[in-house]
Amino acid sequence: MFSLSAITAPFWHIFFEKGADDGLFGFSSTRSFLYTFGTHYILFGLSMFTFWVIGFIPDKNLSVKRLSDMINILFCSVALYYLFYVFIDSNSPYPDYVYEIANITCSLFISFLIFKLFNNYRIKRLQEKKEADEFVENAFSFINEVNKSLIQ
């Protein structure tokens, strides 16, 4: 569902009429807000997909996996930065540099948290696979022992 929403997000603005004055988050219309949001949301969705795909890189290629993770953390941070930027009203009481620092900090922090979440999922999946392989190995050794005892 997340992928579907991210893929279709750049097209949501089509369903709103042009020239309406129903501004949202400092945008002149809901249509312009949805267009801007959609183009940045699809980038965030792509970074989430890439985090998921990186989990399938074999552990033999650890340096490739680490490099991919670092690049994807930065990619996710940029996507989040622009998503945050969409929601900040231009009529704010604070100077722009305060928002820039806050956006950059939050983007990097949230990207790192997302990386940790996916990394924990990968580790859990690998542990479950290891336990399943161990179970199958023990089951086969038990069956072999039973066969040997029946043959004797």
Side-chain angles (χ1 to χ4, degrees):
M1 289 303 285
F2 178 76
S3 296
L4 184 64
S5 70
I7 291 169
T8 60
F11 305 105
W12 294 346
H13 73 281
I14 294 171
F15 302 107
F16 289 85
E17 65 181 81
K18 291 181 181 178
D21 291 337
D22 54 348
L24 191 63
F25 292 110
F27 287 87
S28 60
S29 68
T30 303
R31 183 182 171 100
S32 62
F33 166 76
L34 286 175
Y35 176 77
T36 306
F37 172 77
T39 56
H40 301 309
Y41 183 59
I42 195 169
L43 295 175
F44 178 68
L46 181 61
S47 70
M48 294 297 99
F49 177 74
T50 309
F51 273 126
W52 179 70
V53 168
I54 290 172
F56 295 105
I57 297 175
D59 286 339
K60 298 174 201 171
N61 302 330
L62 194 57
S63 59
V64 171
K65 188 179 272 194
R66 285 185 180 158
L67 179 65
S68 300
D69 280 332
M70 297 309 287
I71 290 171
N72 202 38
I73 287 171
L74 293 175
F75 183 73
C76 183
S77 296
V78 170
L80 282 170
Y81 172 83
Y82 283 108
L83 277 176
F84 292 152
Y85 180 76
V86 167
F87 291 103
I88 292 177
D89 191 358
S90 59
N91 300 324
S92 58
Y94 300 106
D96 288 342
Y97 72 88
V98 172
Y99 290 106
E100 296 295 326
I101 292 169
N103 276 351
I104 291 169
T105 305
C106 288
S107 298
L108 287 170
F109 180 71
I110 292 172
S111 295
F112 186 72
L113 287 178
I114 291 169
F115 161 72
K116 285 302 217 181
L117 178 74
F118 275 94
N119 200 30
N120 288 342
Y121 172 73
R122 283 185 225 155
I123 291 169
K124 185 177 178 184
R125 196 181 80 221
L126 286 174
Q127 287 173 343
E128 288 172 355
K129 185 177 186 273
K130 183 180 176 184
E131 289 172 1
D133 290 345
E134 218 172 87
F135 174 76
V136 169
E137 184 180 317
N138 288 339
F140 279 133
S141 65
F142 175 73
I143 291 170
N144 284 337
E145 287 180 30
V146 169
N147 283 338
K148 285 179 185 177
S149 68
L150 290 174
I151 292 174
Q152 293 175 355

